[in-house]
Amino acid sequence: MGLTRNPRQAGAAAAERDTHGPVRRIVTAALPLYLTMIASSAGTLVDTAVLGRHATVSLAAFALTMAVYVPATATVAGAMRGVMPFVAAKDDDPDALLPVVRDGMWLGVVTGCAGAAAVASVPLIGRLSGVPESTLSELDGFPVLLAASVLVAAVGNSATSTLVGLGRSRLVMRAGTAGTAAAVVLSLVLVNGVGSFAGLGLPGAGAAMLAASVISAVVAHVGLRRSTVLAGRRLGIGRPQARAVLRLARVGVPLAATVLVKFAVLGVLSLAVARVGTGSAAAHSVAVSLVNLMFTAAVAIGQATIPLMAPHIKAHDVPGLRRGVRAGAKVALGAVFLLGGVLVLLRDPVVSLFTRDRALHDQVTGLLLLILLVVVTDALQAVFGFGLIALKDTVPSLVVFTACYGALALAAVPVAAGGGLSALWASLALANTLLVVGQAAVFHRRSGRLAATAPAGQA
């Protein structure tokens, strides 16, 4: 007669496996995700460079649209992260996983439509904001193409979020790099043309970005259908199950709201610095770019921890769950210190990539310690935030985030006016430090509830 293990025994076995290298498992899963994000950012830089060479007015129109497109896509991606813990909980049960994947597709469609509507409204937003008519007239069909790209990317995110939840990050990298490669090649051809083809200018960039989204989504869905536990099963979207989609949304929508809060407050910081002076605004922009380059690693690491924590959540194994988060924090700190060390050692050539102005160069290098402190604290709070995602309990995280960043937004203008750029970045580091404390406290309390909700046989 075969022996079966209850969830507690399964959790103990998972914990035993974790002792053989949770850090290694996180690094292995996170590295492809990080490389995918960096490649995507590089693709956007290529679009910017190509359009800048094409025409200044095209670059201005591109920047206007991207000011809406980037937050829209980030918000949709944030919402779709809410699918990951549901997938991880069913990673060994294809029949139970299948409806979760279909519900995730519907969540992608709904959030994608909302994001697409925002991007399609760029001409109206620009007109209401007083953008020059010369820039608005250059938009042409570009916002519509990018709106379609947002919707396609949302459907693609339903597949990549599932792949992350299943721990198949290499398939995510395959999809992401395929899309980025297509975007780079098509942008070079469609914007400025080649041979007798004169190029399409800004619409060409939009067509390239839409094609890249389609390719990435197709590769992700093909990988999901052929190379996971769902191989051989029909993954059509089917009819929407409202309650099931809402269950995913209750986790994903607070994540999307958190992304919006962060973008809004960072916008307030940029406005506050712009009031100080042009040099400070430029230095702030370079510093934000450096932070994003390093913080992306923490996002990849946080996503990689979700499959690692799923067995402990199933087994109501509180110590194992907390070990998983601590392992994620160790990897995040290691990645940030590694990238930060490279930045400090190569600060002159790195900052020179952004500016040839010596005064601006010195201003940015003078901020390096604050930049590193901001990244370290942001990385730590993100890891604890992903722990709450794994617990499917994201509203408390949104509350903490809104409180800390809300206070930062209120203080930004007077702090920048009184103390300049350094004071503002010190305030950002303080807000992130408070976030670490808040996120860690909420995670500790919420994870402790697992033991209380365990069935009697597992206590």
Side-chain angles (χ1 to χ4, degrees):
M1 182 175 177
L3 297 176
T4 59
R5 292 184 299 179
N6 62 32
R8 172 65 71 183
Q9 292 171 322
E16 184 178 354
R17 288 194 302 271
D18 283 350
T19 61
H20 296 300
V23 169
R24 185 177 67 241
R25 291 175 59 192
I26 293 173
V27 171
T28 301
L31 184 58
L33 298 177
Y34 179 60
L35 294 177
T36 302
M37 295 174 189
I38 293 299
S40 178
S41 298
T44 302
L45 290 177
V46 170
D47 284 331
T48 304
V50 170
L51 285 167
R53 293 173 63 87
H54 175 75
T56 300
V57 68
S58 296
L59 184 58
F62 177 78
L64 171 63
T65 309
M66 292 301 286
V68 180
Y69 176 82
V70 171
T73 52
T75 301
V76 171
M80 296 309 298
R81 286 177 190 145
V83 176
M84 295 176 186
F86 293 91
V87 170
K90 308 292 184 183
D91 63 348
D92 57 352
D93 187 351
D95 293 329
L97 177 60
L98 188 58
V100 174
V101 174
R102 288 173 174 161
D103 297 334
M105 290 182 189
W106 276 110
L107 181 61
V109 169
V110 173
T111 57
C113 285
V119 175
S121 302
V122 163
L124 176 61
I125 294 171
R127 193 162 283 108
L128 293 175
S129 303
V131 173
E133 189 60 36
S134 58
T135 301
L136 295 176
S137 62
E138 182 71 13
L139 287 172
D140 198 14
F142 184 63
V144 174
L145 290 169
L146 258 62
S149 178
V150 171
L151 180 55
V152 172
V155 175
N157 280 338
S158 69
T160 55
S161 294
T162 300
L163 291 170
V164 172
L166 293 173
R168 305 301 297 272
S169 56
R170 290 187 180 181
L171 293 176
V172 177
M173 183 174 69
R174 184 184 303 173
T177 51
T180 299
V184 170
V185 173
L186 291 174
S187 292
L188 293 173
V189 173
L190 294 179
V191 174
N192 290 320
V194 60
S196 60
F197 175 57
L200 302 174
L202 188 61
M209 294 174 71
L210 175 56
S213 294
V214 171
I215 291 170
S216 181
V218 168
V219 173
H221 277 276
V222 169
L224 182 62
R225 285 163 167 78
R226 292 183 179 178
S227 305
T228 67
V229 295
L230 295 173
R233 286 172 167 77
R234 299 185 62 180
L235 294 183
I237 192 169
R239 296 176 60 183
Q241 303 296 320
R243 290 184 179 179
V245 175
L246 286 173
R247 186 167 62 249
L248 299 182
R250 278 195 290 269
V251 177
V253 170
L255 295 175
T258 301
V259 172
L260 284 176
V261 168
K262 189 168 188 177
F263 268 101
V265 174
L266 292 179
V268 171
L269 297 189
S270 296
L271 177 63
V273 173
R275 291 164 60 95
V276 174
T278 302
S280 294
H284 176 75
S285 178
V286 174
V288 168
S289 298
L290 295 174
V291 167
N292 290 339
L293 181 65
M294 292 183 281
F295 177 69
T296 301
V299 175
I301 290 162
Q303 291 182 123
T305 62
I306 291 179
L308 184 71
M309 290 184 279
H312 302 295
I313 294 174
K314 290 180 187 178
H316 299 265
D317 176 15
V318 176
L321 173 61
R322 291 173 177 171
R323 277 196 303 272
V325 170
R326 286 198 298 271
K330 289 178 183 178
V331 177
L333 287 176
V336 168
F337 283 130
L338 175 62
L339 294 171
V342 171
L343 174 61
V344 170
L345 290 174
L346 303 178
R347 55 188 178 277
D348 288 333
V350 170
V351 177
S352 296
L353 293 174
F354 294 90
T355 180
R356 296 179 181 177
D357 185 326
R358 192 65 207 179
L360 177 57
H361 182 286
D362 292 342
Q363 195 170 6
V364 174
T365 54
L367 283 175
L368 278 183
L369 289 180
L370 283 173
I371 289 172
L372 295 178
L373 182 57
V374 165
V375 175
V376 167
T377 51
D378 210 2
L380 283 176
Q381 70 83 18
V383 171
F384 287 111
F386 274 100
L388 289 168
I389 294 174
L391 288 167
K392 306 173 188 173
D393 194 4
T394 54
V395 172
S397 182
L398 171 61
V399 172
V400 172
F401 212 102
T402 302
C404 294
Y405 266 52
L408 175 63
L410 292 175
V413 172
V415 166
L421 188 58
S422 295
L424 187 66
W425 274 76
S427 298
L428 178 56
L430 175 61
N432 283 347
T433 301
L434 294 175
L435 263 180
V436 174
V437 175
Q439 295 271 56
V442 171
F443 173 76
H444 189 271
R445 184 169 65 252
R446 299 287 172 157
S447 61
R449 295 181 181 179
L450 275 179
T453 58
Q458 298 180 44

